[in-house]
Amino acid sequence: MVTENTAKRSVLLIVTGSIAATKVPELIRLLKDKAMDVTAVLTEAGGYFISPLTLASLTGKRVYSELFSIDEETEMGHIQLSRKSDLIVVAPATANTIAKMAQGISDDLASTILLATDKPVLVVPAMNVRMWEHPATQRNVQTLRKDGVVFVGPSKGALACGEEGHGRMVEPSEIVDEIQRFYDFKKLGRPLQGKKALVTSGPTVEAIDPVRYIANRSSGKQGHAIAAALKALGADVTLVSGPTALPDPVGVKMVKVESAREMLDACYKALPVDMAVCAAAVSDWRSSNLSEQKIKKPAKKSMKPEDMLTFTFMENPDILECLGKHGDKRPQLVVGFAAETENVVKNAKAKMQRKGCDWILANDVSGGSVFGSEDTEIHYITVDGEEHWPLMSKRDVAFTLASRMSDYFSIDPKLRKNNVTKLLL
Ligand code: CTP
């Protein structure tokens, strides 16, 4: 597990004007428990929800609020504040603060720090659901995501204003997890710099006629998180994804596809790569008689078997197997997933052999609970054996896998063990 030299970790926490500011003391307490150094900046609106004295007592430090205060500027000016910490966390972040950040407005200390910083920024939104869903806010969020700002939440639920929906600030423990992840990545550095990675993600959709298709419940969360993690470790990443509702991970080359055959074509086009991770839930079948016209309902109702509508399907290509058994362009490391409902490890090992991949991450999907959820439990299987990763977030799975992949590439190529070597012996 990654450990960190805790003494050096310092977070600049910007608190803006939302009722969720009442959760900030808990956030500071959790950060201090992890021996993180916290400096607080409070906006004028934030001061209506939490007092500077509370923040000062909890952080054990002076709280900064004013842009034009001789006192504050001489002690620690806004430029120093924007550069001195490892990370800036805006929690809670109002729609107004997000809008100012997206537009580059700097009319108070908080927004000036955010414009002047060269440090990573994590934004934790908190607002009314209509404000969050407003096209203007969504545009601003998109702009900031493209700039590399990381968003945590908001979550869905009952809001302080009495309405329901997205807008709740996520719990302090989730914010701390995200901050911890930032330090975990920082500790590893960019070991995959100069390496190329290919990741598949999401479902595939297979047309039946011009308006209908078959698909599955994959959200793409796992594959997208893996692409983002490999990118964070320095790899040059191509993410080939079926339709999902997720934002494109920043800095990866995105290829959007629909069917399994389009996904395979896109993967072949991305070769050669050093590593491939197949996390997509590829549809195993496609219609064998794709109708060019919309299939109409029968004119008269009938319960006779010969009058019933029957679809026939044919098998799709297996993308993982095509990559795992690719001749000259086989990636050095090919990783697959195995969704199993019984005999999880045994079936996954057989799948690993059958598809010629080097590692397989198996999960139990009985009950359908993995699809769309945030957390998953993994059996990590390699030629050396098996390891159980307890229930963790898909982003933590992505981080753990990416760090294992970087370990693999740090070993002398002659000493690397993989499935293909074993199959050839
Ligand atoms: N996979 C793929 N192309 C397919 C089917 C699966 O690339 N046509 C990949 C998935 O991305 C995953 C792995 O193969 O990495 C295993 O997928 P899974 O759904 O568990 O297995 P299947 O091959 O579909 O086998 P089965 O349904 O019999 O368990």
Side-chain angles (χ1 to χ4, degrees), residues 4 51 64 81 95 97 116-117 130 153 171-172 175 185 189 193 220-221 229 252 283 298 356 365:
E4 175 69 18
S51 79
Y64 297 85
L81 276 169
T97 303
T117 194
R130 298 275 162 265
E171 290 307 315
I175 305 172
F185 276 111
Q193 185 102 44
K221 281 180 187 163
V252 311
S283 173
V365 293

Side-chain angles (χ1 to χ4, degrees), residues 200-202 204 206 260 263-264 267 277-285 315-323 335-341 347-348 351 354-355 357 359-363 365 371:
T200 69
S201 184
T204 63
E206 309 293 334
M263 186 172 270
L264 180 65
C267 288
V277 183
C278 290
V282 184
S283 173
D284 290 326
W285 300 282
E315 216 175 317
N316 261 330
D318 192 303
I319 297 164
L320 176 60
E321 191 168 345
C322 291
L323 295 173
V335 183
F337 274 77
E340 305 295 341
T341 53
N347 286 345
K351 208 171 261 180
R354 198 169 66 240
K355 301 197 183 202
C357 60
W359 300 352
I360 205 149
L361 273 60
N363 46 24
V365 293
F371 291 95

Side-chain angles (χ1 to χ4, degrees), residues 34-79:
K34 289 193 171 272
M36 292 192 203
D37 178 67
V38 185
T39 303
V41 170
L42 184 63
T43 63
E44 190 186 342
Y48 287 101
F49 297 93
I50 188 164
S51 79
L53 189 61
T54 308
L55 293 175
S57 316
L58 291 165
T59 58
K61 292 218 177 133
R62 173 169 201 156
V63 174
Y64 297 85
S65 300
E66 308 261 329
L67 184 55
F68 300 112
S69 150
I70 294 182
D71 217 21
E72 289 184 13
E73 273 293 306
T74 45
E75 189 178 309
M76 172 113 70
H78 62 276
I79 300 292

Side-chain angles (χ1 to χ4, degrees), residues 42-306:
L42 184 63
T43 63
E44 190 186 342
Y48 287 101
F49 297 93
I50 188 164
S51 79
L53 189 61
T54 308
L55 293 175
S57 316
L58 291 165
T59 58
K61 292 218 177 133
R62 173 169 201 156
V63 174
Y64 297 85
S65 300
E66 308 261 329
L67 184 55
F68 300 112
S69 150
I70 294 182
D71 217 21
E72 289 184 13
E73 273 293 306
T74 45
E75 189 178 309
M76 172 113 70
H78 62 276
I79 300 292
Q80 268 174 293
L81 276 169
S82 71
R83 312 276 165 85
K84 235 182 133 246
S85 307
D86 307 313
L87 172 72
I88 299 186
V89 178
V90 192
T94 58
N96 182 49
T97 303
I98 290 170
K100 285 205 277 185
M101 287 174 73
Q103 300 307 314
I105 293 170
S106 58
D107 61 355
D108 62 1
L109 180 63
S111 53
T112 305
I113 289 171
L114 287 162
L115 192 62
T117 194
D118 57 355
K119 291 288 159 22
V121 179
L122 205 118
V123 169
V124 192
M127 66 194 75
N128 166 271
V129 56
R130 298 275 162 265
M131 291 171 88
W132 173 250
E133 287 174 356
H134 195 286
T137 304
Q138 287 306 310
R139 262 197 313 275
N140 292 332
V141 170
Q142 287 311 322
T143 303
L144 290 171
R145 276 202 174 115
K146 282 198 193 105
D147 292 346
V149 170
V150 174
F151 280 78
V152 193
S155 60
K156 202 175 174 186
L159 303 170
C161 55
E163 290 184 29
E164 283 264 335
H166 277 105
R168 277 176 72 89
M169 183 168 97
V170 297
E171 290 307 315
S173 59
E174 280 180 63
I175 305 172
V176 175
D177 283 352
E178 190 63 43
I179 294 172
Q180 182 61 50
R181 206 172 286 126
F182 162 78
Y183 281 106
D184 289 346
F185 276 111
K186 190 166 181 267
K187 174 105 196 299
L188 287 186
R190 296 174 66 76
L192 293 176
Q193 185 102 44
K195 297 271 182 256
K196 283 186 161 190
L198 166 66
V199 181
T200 69
S201 184
T204 63
V205 298
E206 309 293 334
I208 293 171
D209 71 13
V211 295
R212 302 183 181 92
Y213 60 80
I214 54 164
N216 60 65
R217 292 179 195 280
S218 168
S219 65
K221 281 180 187 163
Q222 187 64 83
H224 278 53
I226 291 167
L230 292 170
K231 172 74 201 164
L233 295 186
D236 175 0
V237 182
T238 301
L239 174 59
V240 180
S241 177
T244 75
L246 300 173
D248 299 347
V250 178
V252 311
K253 184 176 173 229
M254 204 56 217
V255 186
K256 296 188 183 179
V257 296
E258 298 231 316
S259 67
R261 284 182 300 169
E262 284 171 16
M263 186 172 270
L264 180 65
D265 280 352
C267 288
Y268 278 158
K269 280 200 187 107
L271 296 180
V273 294
D274 300 285
M275 64 202 94
V277 183
C278 290
V282 184
S283 173
D284 290 326
W285 300 282
R286 66 177 184 275
S287 171
S288 56
N289 50 345
L290 176 65
S291 171
E292 281 182 20
Q293 305 301 328
K294 187 180 169 208
I295 301 166
K296 305 298 276 180
K297 277 188 287 191
K300 66 174 176 46
K301 303 265 178 269
S302 158
M303 292 305 286
K304 287 193 222 135
E306 62 271 26

